[in-house]
Amino acid sequence: MARTIGSHGPTTMEAIRKAGLRLIFQHGYEAMSLRQLAAEVGIQPGSLYNHISTKQELLSELIQDHINDLLRELEAALRDRHGAVERLRVFVAFHVGYHMTRKREVFIANSELRSLDPRNYEAVVALRGAYERRLADILTDGVAEGVFDVVDVQVATFAILSLLTGLCSWYRPGGRLTKDAIIAAHEKLVLSGVMPRSAEPAPVGGGQSGHTPG
């Protein structure tokens, strides 16, 4: 049995969040019980209620905190970046890099939306919409600048996000391509999809290591 670490304070809450993230990722939200979560952390089941009121609250906070982190870190990455092409490059690099390192959070945010109650679902969808609008704004600005040729910004936004997030289903550290090479490949795919062929810029980054793909 895990060592009891106490039932109060930020340290225990952080342990609950990490254990909850791990258990939901491994077993799914419905299969994880609060008793199992308490045992993983090393506290009595009743002590969980000093930190969370329900399992639903924990799931909602994990997903919302993930998307808030995503938004905050994206804003930092885009700060002082100018021009739609540069900002789109930064968006792609940030999104791919983040999703390489936060696979559990991304998986839960996508696969467990169905498990949220209506109020929490609406809150998460609103946050996701804010992130999607950051990309949509870049594409809209690119069209206005005359550097992007996009038939429908909303369709392009969803298509790009699906492409970039799809990396989570196949990426494994230590594969054939370096992180920079994977980012460069996605950058080329995205830019070639929104820029007139005559205006496509040369790729940035690259490099390979000697293992199997992803």
Side-chain angles (χ1 to χ4, degrees):
M1 181 176 177
R3 178 175 62 88
T4 299
I5 60 176
S7 58
H8 297 282
T11 300
T12 301
M13 186 62 225
E14 183 61 21
I16 290 170
R17 292 168 62 85
K18 288 181 177 179
L21 187 70
R22 183 169 59 253
L23 291 172
I24 294 171
F25 178 75
Q26 291 174 346
H27 306 292
Y29 172 77
E30 292 297 334
M32 185 197 77
S33 70
L34 291 182
R35 183 173 296 276
Q36 181 185 23
L37 176 61
E40 185 78 7
V41 176
I43 60 177
Q44 294 298 316
S47 296
L48 282 174
Y49 297 106
N50 292 322
H51 306 279
I52 59 172
S53 58
T54 63
K55 188 169 73 164
Q56 174 70 203
E57 178 191 354
L58 176 63
L59 176 65
S60 176
E61 288 187 359
L62 287 173
I63 295 177
Q64 291 191 52
D65 286 352
H66 154 66
I67 303 176
N68 278 320
D69 284 347
L70 195 65
L71 282 163
R72 183 171 53 253
E73 292 181 30
L74 175 63
E75 291 301 326
L78 288 173
R79 192 171 297 127
D80 299 325
R81 302 294 185 135
H82 304 288
V85 172
E86 181 185 11
R87 288 162 60 216
L88 185 56
R89 286 189 190 276
V90 170
F91 182 94
V92 171
F94 165 77
H95 190 96
V96 171
Y98 184 100
H99 284 63
M100 283 178 170
T101 58
R102 305 286 288 274
K103 186 173 181 177
R104 288 177 176 174
E105 292 91 332
V106 172
F107 177 83
I108 290 171
N110 290 328
S111 67
E112 295 294 354
L113 270 180
R114 64 194 177 195
S115 299
L116 293 171
D117 65 25
R119 180 175 58 84
N120 289 328
Y121 178 86
E122 290 175 6
V124 167
V125 168
L127 285 173
R128 285 165 62 107
Y131 187 77
E132 291 161 1
R133 283 194 296 277
R134 299 299 193 277
L135 174 56
D137 288 346
I138 293 172
L139 297 177
T140 299
D141 290 346
V143 172
E145 292 169 16
V147 293
F148 294 161
D149 181 12
V150 177
V151 175
D152 187 287
V153 167
Q154 186 175 35
V155 170
T157 297
F158 291 152
I160 290 170
L161 288 173
S162 294
L163 168 67
L164 300 181
T165 305
L167 160 142
C168 290
S169 66
W170 59 262
Y171 172 72
R172 298 291 183 277
R176 175 173 58 86
L177 298 177
T178 64
K179 176 181 177 180
D180 286 346
I182 292 173
I183 289 173
H186 283 81
E187 178 188 285
K188 183 173 177 61
L189 285 168
V190 170
L191 289 173
S192 65
V194 299
M195 298 183 71
R197 184 169 296 275
S198 60
E200 289 177 24
V204 174
Q208 296 187 356
S209 59
H211 301 287
T212 55

